[in-house]
């Protein structure tokens, strides 16, 4: 999970708010471990990793002034990227992480977007995909932020098997009754048929969940995600002196965006039936 306040013209400042991330693969401008360490919390309070993370988020919320003071020097000329823990309960069950974000927005006038990463290979398992949809929906409703759901590691999407449908079925969250049919073929899932149908109905009733894709090694893929983030939080309109017509032109999605988001990505990363037959 990450929240971004974006500008493609500014230097990036990564803020690590994951106290379990003790081996950082990047250089961060602010590190929560300077405030509190998960290992210390677990030892001192006899907590497991999950309970320890909840404690750390609560501690951060109560010491938000520490984070605010660290962020203030970066606001003028940095692109801020907040790296939060991957523990999903923090974003749809507990309120601490949300409270941290909301306090920062209020105190520092930040323009943030929540970016929710879901492993793309979950699409190969209907039950896991539906679970990812429910988690995404719950997180969107709980955080109440501009929100981008991302199928990450799209280059590995078929590493666990061929998808049952084209990629746009999964990115656009199309008619889920087709997935229910696939689940009914599995004896382990058939007994949960009624529950599955109700969950799918909830997802479709809200009709707010969709996905973009990301291959972190692909510059164009990353660039398209950043553009989408800038549009979602309104950054693309900053400093523009234009008419309402010009603003509307900027707001309208590019004609080729849908193609890139689904068909072009599928062509690049997914084998068609002929390719699979040739591999056999």
């Amino acid at each position: 999970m990450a929240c971004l306040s974006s500008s493609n013209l500014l230097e990036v400042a990564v803020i690590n708010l994951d106290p379990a991330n003790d081996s950082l693969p990047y250089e961060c401008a602010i590190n929560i471990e300077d405030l509190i360490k998960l290992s210390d919390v677990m030892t001192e309070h006899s907590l497991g990793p999950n309970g320890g993370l909840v404690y750390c988020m609560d501690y951060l919320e109560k010491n938000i002034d520490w984070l605010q003071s660290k962020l203030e020097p970066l606001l003028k000329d940095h692109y801020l990227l907040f790296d939060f823990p991957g523990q999903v309960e923090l974003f749809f069950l507990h309120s601490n992480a949300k409270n941290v974000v909301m306090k920062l927005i209020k105190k520092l006038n930040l323009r943030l977007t929540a970016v929710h990463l879901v492993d793309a290979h979950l699409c190969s398992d209907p039950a896991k995909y539906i679970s990812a949809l429910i988690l995404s929906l719950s997180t969107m409703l709980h955080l109440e932020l501009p929100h981008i759901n991302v199928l990450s590691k799209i280059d590995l999407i078929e590493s666990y098997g061929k998808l049952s449908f084209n990629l746009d079925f999964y990115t656009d969250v199309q008619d889920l009754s087709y997935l229910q049919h696939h689940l009914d073929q599995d004896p382990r899932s058939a007994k949960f048929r009624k529950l599955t149908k109700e969950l799918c109905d909830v997802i479709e009733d809200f009709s707010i969940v969709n996905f973009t894709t990301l291959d972190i090694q692909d510059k164009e893929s990353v660039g398209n995600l950043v553009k989408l983030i800038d549009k979602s939080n309104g950054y693309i309109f900053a400093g523009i002196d234009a008419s309402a017509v010009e603003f509307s032109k900027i707001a309208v999605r590019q004609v080729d965006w849908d193609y890139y988001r689904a068909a072009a990505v599928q062509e690049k990363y997914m084998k068609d039936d002929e390719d699979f037959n040739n591999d056999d």
Side-chain angles (χ1 to χ4, degrees):
M1 171 63 75
C3 294
L4 290 82
S5 175
S6 55
S7 165
N8 55 12
L9 302 176
L10 303 179
E11 183 179 353
V12 175
V14 181
I15 295 91
N16 175 43
L17 297 183
D18 183 358
N21 198 355
D22 54 3
S23 180
L24 294 173
Y26 52 77
E27 182 178 346
C28 59
I30 303 172
N31 192 346
I32 192 175
E33 286 207 336
D34 294 335
L35 174 69
I36 188 169
K37 294 184 178 180
L38 177 62
S39 57
D40 293 342
V41 169
M42 292 171 61
T43 300
E44 183 176 346
H45 298 283
S46 300
L47 294 171
N50 291 345
L53 282 170
V54 173
Y55 183 99
C56 289
M57 283 297 106
D58 180 65
Y59 190 85
L60 176 61
E61 180 188 356
K62 292 175 179 176
N63 292 272
I64 195 68
D65 290 344
W66 172 86
L67 182 56
Q68 179 181 349
S69 66
K70 297 283 187 179
L71 285 170
E72 285 173 343
L74 303 174
L75 296 180
K76 185 177 180 180
D77 55 3
H78 283 80
Y79 177 122
L80 303 180
L81 191 154
F82 296 82
D83 186 7
F84 277 88
Q87 186 187 4
V88 296
E89 298 95 321
L90 294 174
F91 305 102
F92 75 89
L93 187 59
H94 300 287
S95 62
N96 302 116
K98 176 184 177 180
N99 292 342
V100 167
V101 171
M102 293 304 170
K103 287 180 179 181
L104 291 178
I105 291 174
K106 183 176 181 179
K107 289 173 177 286
L108 301 177
N109 193 30
L110 298 182
R111 188 175 293 164
L112 300 178
T113 293
V115 183
H116 181 216
L117 304 179
V118 175
D119 280 358
H121 71 77
L122 296 181
C123 295
S124 63
D125 185 321
K128 291 180 180 178
Y129 174 69
I130 291 173
S131 296
L133 291 177
I134 286 291
L135 174 59
S136 300
L137 175 60
S138 300
T139 304
M140 293 174 76
L141 296 175
H142 184 70
L143 289 181
E144 299 180 297
L145 287 172
H147 194 105
I148 307 294
N149 294 304
V150 181
L151 292 177
S152 65
K153 305 175 187 175
I154 194 65
D155 51 314
L156 304 176
I157 189 169
E158 291 191 324
S159 59
Y160 288 83
K162 189 176 184 297
L163 301 189
S164 301
F165 306 99
N166 288 335
L167 182 60
D168 61 353
F169 177 89
Y170 301 94
T171 56
D172 296 345
V173 190
Q174 298 177 8
D175 191 344
L176 297 179
S177 63
Y178 291 103
L179 278 184
Q180 294 175 53
H181 173 73
H182 277 263
L183 284 168
D184 288 345
Q185 311 308 309
D186 184 347
R188 297 170 300 176
S189 303
K191 62 181 179 179
F192 301 113
R193 183 182 296 110
K194 184 176 180 181
L195 174 60
T196 301
K197 182 182 184 305
E198 295 296 330
L199 291 175
C200 290
D201 286 347
V202 169
I203 295 165
E204 292 182 329
D205 285 347
F206 276 97
S207 193
I208 58 174
V209 181
N210 58 25
F211 293 93
T212 187
T213 59
L214 175 65
D215 174 3
I216 194 62
Q217 303 298 329
D218 186 283
K219 185 176 181 179
E220 185 178 9
S221 178
V222 175
N224 276 283
L225 176 57
V226 172
K227 290 177 184 177
L228 191 58
I229 293 165
D230 286 347
K231 184 176 290 188
S232 71
N233 60 28
Y235 179 80
I236 58 171
F237 302 108
I240 296 178
D241 183 14
S243 67
V245 173
E246 292 301 317
F247 273 109
S248 65
K249 288 180 180 179
I250 295 172
V252 172
R253 178 178 292 172
Q254 297 177 7
V255 174
D256 64 346
W257 172 251
D258 279 330
Y259 175 78
Y260 181 85
R261 186 164 57 93
V265 176
Q266 175 167 324
E267 182 179 343
K268 185 173 184 178
Y269 296 112
M270 296 170 61
K271 295 182 178 181
D272 57 27
D273 291 335
E274 182 178 346
D275 292 331
F276 268 89
N277 291 334
N278 290 338
D279 289 345
D280 292 339

